[in-house]
Amino acid sequence: ETGVTQTPRHLVMGMTNKKSLKCEQHLGHNAMYWYKQSAKKPLELMFVYNFKEQTENNSVPSRFSPECPNSSHLFLHLHTLQPEDSALYLCASSSSALARISPLHFGNGTRLTVT
Amino acid sequence: ELKVEQNPLFLSMQEGKNYTIYCNYSTTSDRLYWYRQDPGKSLESLFVLLSNGAVKQEGRLMASLDTKARLSTLHITAAVHDLSATYFCAVGTWDNQGGKLIFGQGTELSVKP
C-alpha cells in the first residue's frame, strides 16, 4: 500500500475510445502530478496540480485532459489517443508543490496500451 | 530547460562488488532525489539530498550531492541480488507557482551471483 492508489492497473483502448484514469491519495497531500513513463525514456512530467489548481501543463496534447476535483483525487481523461501514447502513467502526490523538501509519493501506475 | 542525465543506463554487476551511478544536471538546484523502481512496481523514495556536500546512507547505498559540480552519485557497496532494480535521480526546480521534479533516464541495475 503506497498511499497513492491508481485505477485501473491495465487499460487497453482503441484510438476512438474515451477512457479515464483515476488517482486517489490518502496522505493528506495538497499537490498531485501526472507523469508518463515510456520504454527507454525518462519519466515525463505532464501536469501538476497544487491545491486543486493546475500549475503546470508540460506541452501535453489536448487528447489528454486532467481533472482535479479536490486535493485527494486526480483524473486523466483520454480521447482519440495514438499508439505512441502507450506507456505507464504514474500519479504522484506531495505535501505541496511549494514545499521544497517533500519527495513525491508514487502510485503503482496504469499500463495503457492503445491499439 | 533543466536536463538530468544518468550514467550508466545499464549496469550488470556481481554480488560483493562496488559501483557508482552518476547523475548530472544542467541548471542550479539544491534538491536532489533518488528513487528505486522494481519491475511492475511504483517508484520508492530512497534519499532526499538538500544541500551541497550532503551525504546520506541506507544499508549498502550511499548518496552524495555536489551542487557546484551539479553532480550526485549513488554508491553501491558489496552489492546483493536484492538491489536489482532501476534507480532514478530527480532534480527539483521551483518557481513562484510551485515545484516539479525532472527525472533522469534511470539506471537498470542487475546484480548477479
Side-chain angles (χ1 to χ4, degrees):
Chain A
E1 174 58 52
T2 65
V4 180
T5 304
Q6 289 186 244
T7 55
R9 291 297 304 274
H10 300 274
L11 177 62
V12 179
M13 60 186 288
M15 290 191 284
T16 58
N17 291 159
K18 289 185 180 181
K19 297 285 184 184
S20 296
L21 310 185
K22 179 182 176 182
C23 177
E24 183 175 1
Q25 58 93 3
H26 310 277
L27 300 168
H29 288 166
N30 294 300
M32 297 188 78
Y33 309 76
W34 280 116
Y35 279 87
K36 175 183 178 182
Q37 187 176 29
S38 305
K40 305 197 188 307
K41 292 177 73 174
L43 273 78
E44 300 172 61
L45 178 65
M46 299 175 73
F47 301 104
V48 181
Y49 279 82
N50 196 38
F51 293 91
K52 300 189 299 177
E53 298 297 319
Q54 188 181 119
T55 58
E56 179 80 24
N57 177 339
N58 196 23
S59 302
V60 181
S62 60
R63 58 186 183 269
F64 295 91
S65 174
E67 178 189 1
C68 188
N70 55 62
S71 293
S72 298
H73 294 86
L74 184 65
F75 296 89
L76 188 62
H77 304 300
L78 315 171
H79 65 97
T80 59
L81 294 192
Q82 304 298 312
E84 59 264 30
D85 296 322
S86 299
L88 180 68
Y89 288 85
L90 289 162
C91 173
S93 70
S94 68
S95 59
S96 163
L98 293 169
R100 298 172 70 96
I101 296 175
S102 172
L104 301 184
H105 296 257
F106 283 86
N108 285 326
T110 294
R111 174 69 62 187
L112 173 67
T113 303
V114 181
T115 60
Chain B
E1 181 188 347
L2 174 60
K3 292 189 188 305
V4 182
E5 293 189 352
Q6 288 180 235
N7 74 85
L9 300 184
F10 299 94
L11 178 55
S12 180
M13 53 191 299
Q14 283 188 307
E15 282 191 328
K17 299 292 188 182
N18 304 332
Y19 211 84
T20 300
I21 300 170
Y22 297 89
C23 175
N24 291 272
Y25 54 98
S26 61
T27 63
T28 302
S29 176
D30 59 357
R31 298 288 185 270
L32 194 293
Y33 305 78
W34 283 97
Y35 285 85
R36 168 181 172 148
Q37 186 179 34
D38 291 292
K41 298 284 185 69
S42 181
L43 277 78
E44 173 193 354
S45 178
L46 294 175
F47 300 109
V48 182
L49 300 169
L50 303 178
S51 60
N52 186 41
V55 176
K56 290 200 173 178
Q57 183 161 7
E58 180 75 31
R60 300 174 189 275
L61 300 178
M62 184 173 71
S64 66
L65 177 62
D66 181 343
T67 57
K68 293 179 181 176
R70 298 177 187 166
L71 171 68
S72 179
T73 61
L74 181 66
H75 187 72
I76 303 152
T77 302
V80 293
H81 179 71
D82 286 353
L83 290 179
S84 297
T86 300
Y87 293 85
F88 293 91
C89 66
V91 177
T93 175
W94 283 266
D95 57 28
N96 57 6
Q97 285 200 302
K100 56 191 177 186
L101 296 192
I102 305 300
F103 283 79
Q105 311 97 309
T107 296
E108 188 176 332
L109 172 66
S110 175
V111 181
K112 302 184 186 306

